[in-house]
Each structure stands twice: as structure tokens, then as C-alpha cells.
Amino acid sequence: MRASLRRVAPALVALTATAVVLAGCGSSGSGDKGTSGASASAGAGSFPVTVKGTAGSVTVDARPTHIVSLSPTTTEMLYSIGAGGQVKAVDDQSDYPAKAPRTKLSGFKPNVEAIAGYDPDLVVLSYSSGDVVKSLQKLKIPVYVAAAATTLDDSYREITDLGRLTGHTDGAASTVRKMKSGIAKAEQGLPKPGTKLSYYYELDPQLHTATSKTFVGSLLTPLGLTNVADKADKGHTGYPQLSKEYLIEANPDLVFLADTKCCAASAAAVAKRPGWSTLTAVKDKHVYGLNDDVASRWGPRVVQLVQAAANAVRAVPAT
């Protein structure tokens, strides 16, 4: 294989614990968090590049030209920073952007032989299942694990890492700047209600939800919102399942539906659920459908999620 000649770099091991959508521009103070090794120069960067995290370090000797992305979020990140032309294959769930080379590869159950068949010089994952990382490393294929973000800083850091690893440091810095600017603009000038508005964030019709301790919660808290699910998270998982009785008693001011595509949730549909007609959010028409994909990923499009939530807050009359 051509890759066997090319892959002389030590396997790139990105830590699932720290990665997530990367640290901002170098001047932001968070851009170098979790990274070390050769520093990238402005623009295309310089190689070799080493990225260090809690689980180990990854080195890429030359600018990769055959990237395989097995995560919809990392696919969006790679295209956003300008590395789309280097991406040769993406997983079956990577539906954005539409031009991404979608395949039957699975990010949830990665097949090492199938991945290697694309002759990659960099593989990017969000879920490190089984021994897939070790198996790819044995083949001298660099692997970067971009674990799900818990904060925006995680997200910025991950983008920055990918910029360094692909030779797009400027593109990564630009993406982070745009994200920060978009979020700041969305948060600007929000009305100051007498009491904080409460919200329920639906992941599925079985009332699984996300608390303020999760990534999405970290996006909504700065908008002055209180999550009704926080007190229900007895197991401290961040993703409790609420009972109908609990939700009705909590009576949220806002309801966000992150299950519109998967489960056909809508304001009209939830209003027909037993007991839901009494909810303030339903009575006042403050139930908002979200794009499931945008709501479940932690890449550049999180700005759209924050904007949608901020618009919902603005729609509630100030008290």
C-alpha cells in the first residue's frame, strides 16, 4: 500500500477526555490548551506537528492528503477550516456539507479493514470503540479522537487541533473567531425578565433530556435560562429521563424539541400529549422545534443553536 511508505509518523493519539471543539485563536488564551510539540506557523502551518492530550500524543509528519472522518461533527469542522479537499471519505452519518464524500463507514462501529482501504494518512473519530484506535496505530495510521464537547472551550480546542494537524491554522482560527462572534451577537441585548425563564430540552418523546451540566446546557445557561431537568438528575449523568408528572409540575416557560427529524416532534404534536396543554410553554406558544443534527453536534453550527434559543428568549414578553 502507498500508505505504508507514507506513514512513518508515530500514530496520532488524541484524547477522548479533552478534545471537543477546539481552543480558539492563539491570542484567545485557550488556543494552545491541551497541545504541545511543533508549533504551526501562520497559514498552512509547519510539519511535523504533534498534538498532546491526556491520553497521549499524536504526530503527523506531513500535511495529510487522505483524511477519513468518522464523525459528523469532525466532518463539519474539517470543511469549515478549509480542509475539505483533503477529506477522502466520511462516515454514513456525515450529511453536512452535502459535498462530503459519504460512505458506508460507521463511526459507531468502526471497521479497521474498511477504514484502511481508503489509504488514510489521518483518521478522525469522536467515539473510540473497542480496540479500533490501537488497531489503526499498529498500521501506522495517525488517529485523532475528538470526544464530545462539554464546553465551548473544548469545541474550540478541537477545531484548533484539527487546524494544526491538517495545515489549516488560519482556517481554524477564523472558524473559532466566527463562532465566538456569532454567539456573542446572539447573546447581546437579551431582555432581562424579572425571574429567569425555565426550559425543557427534549431529546426524544420518552422525555430523555439534557441538563445544564451538558454541552447544550452550557450554551443555554448564558441566555439567562434555568433547566427544569437539573433537579431530576439524581444519577448525575447529565441526561435524565423525566416523568410526565415531573415535567408538568416543573411547568417550563420554554420547550426546545431536538427530536423533530428523528421523531416528528412539533409544537402541534406535543400539545396533544396528555397533560401538556397545561404547560405555560404550550399555552403561550413557546415550543420551538430544532434541527436534530445541529442540536446534537458541537461543531461550527452550534452558533445556529444559540441563535435559535436566544430568539426564543426574546419572544417571551419581559415581566
Side-chain angles (χ1 to χ4, degrees):
M1 286 172 85
R2 184 178 73 254
S4 63
L5 299 176
R6 200 169 56 226
R7 295 173 199 134
V8 293
L12 126 82
V13 183
L15 338 11
T16 58
T18 54
V20 169
V21 201
L22 18 155
C25 353
S27 60
S28 69
S30 60
D32 293 328
K33 185 177 180 181
T35 61
S36 68
S39 60
S41 62
S46 59
F47 291 89
V49 168
T50 297
V51 175
K52 184 178 181 180
T54 58
S57 61
V58 176
T59 298
V60 175
D61 275 3
R63 185 175 184 269
T65 59
H66 288 66
I67 301 172
V68 171
S69 173
L70 299 177
S71 161
T73 296
T74 57
T75 297
E76 292 190 21
M77 290 178 178
L78 288 165
Y79 275 85
S80 178
I81 67 177
Q86 296 154 253
V87 177
K88 300 306 176 186
V90 301
D91 69 296
D92 56 356
Q93 299 300 308
S94 287
D95 53 6
Y96 185 90
K99 61 184 177 182
R102 198 171 178 184
T103 68
K104 294 182 179 180
L105 292 174
S106 171
F108 295 102
K109 295 182 179 179
N111 181 301
V112 173
E113 184 177 356
I115 296 169
Y118 286 92
D119 202 16
D121 46 15
L122 175 62
V123 172
V124 185
L125 301 164
S126 284
Y127 306 97
S128 179
S129 59
D131 295 325
V132 62
V133 173
K134 291 182 179 179
S135 297
L136 289 169
Q137 290 172 346
K138 288 180 180 179
L139 296 175
K140 306 301 182 185
I141 300 174
V143 185
Y144 180 81
V145 180
T150 56
T151 68
L152 274 168
D153 281 343
D154 288 337
S155 194
Y156 299 145
R157 183 180 314 119
E158 201 169 323
I159 291 167
T160 300
D161 286 349
L162 289 176
R164 295 183 62 204
L165 292 169
T166 61
H168 292 277
T169 55
D170 278 359
S174 176
T175 292
V176 171
R177 282 196 300 270
K178 289 177 181 177
M179 289 174 68
K180 290 182 176 181
S181 174
I183 291 172
K185 184 177 181 180
E187 295 175 349
Q188 187 176 10
L190 285 177
K192 308 285 188 204
T195 58
K196 281 190 174 183
L197 297 173
S198 61
Y199 75 95
Y200 160 65
Y201 190 90
E202 181 166 291
L203 297 177
D204 63 35
Q206 288 71 48
L207 306 189
H208 285 96
T209 185
T211 71
S212 60
K213 300 298 183 183
T214 63
F215 178 71
V216 70
S218 74
L219 299 178
L220 302 186
T221 298
L223 303 180
L225 296 175
T226 299
N227 194 318
V228 300
D230 286 351
K231 293 180 180 179
D233 190 18
K234 304 302 183 183
H236 305 290
T237 64
Y239 299 95
Q241 181 180 17
L242 306 183
S243 67
K244 181 187 74 173
E245 293 74 19
Y246 177 93
L247 183 60
I248 291 175
E249 183 177 354
N251 192 24
D253 299 302
L254 300 166
V255 169
F256 297 108
L257 303 173
D259 53 353
T260 58
K261 292 178 65 177
C262 73
C263 313
S266 66
V270 301
K272 297 177 181 178
R273 295 177 182 174
W276 278 57
S277 62
T278 65
L279 294 182
T280 296
V282 173
K283 290 189 296 183
D284 293 345
K285 301 186 184 304
H286 293 310
V287 178
Y288 300 92
L290 304 173
N291 180 309
D292 299 25
D293 294 338
V294 173
S296 63
R297 300 172 189 176
W298 58 98
R301 290 197 292 168
V302 297
V303 175
Q304 296 179 25
L305 177 60
V306 176
Q307 289 172 336
N311 289 338
V313 173
R314 289 188 176 90
V316 179
T319 58

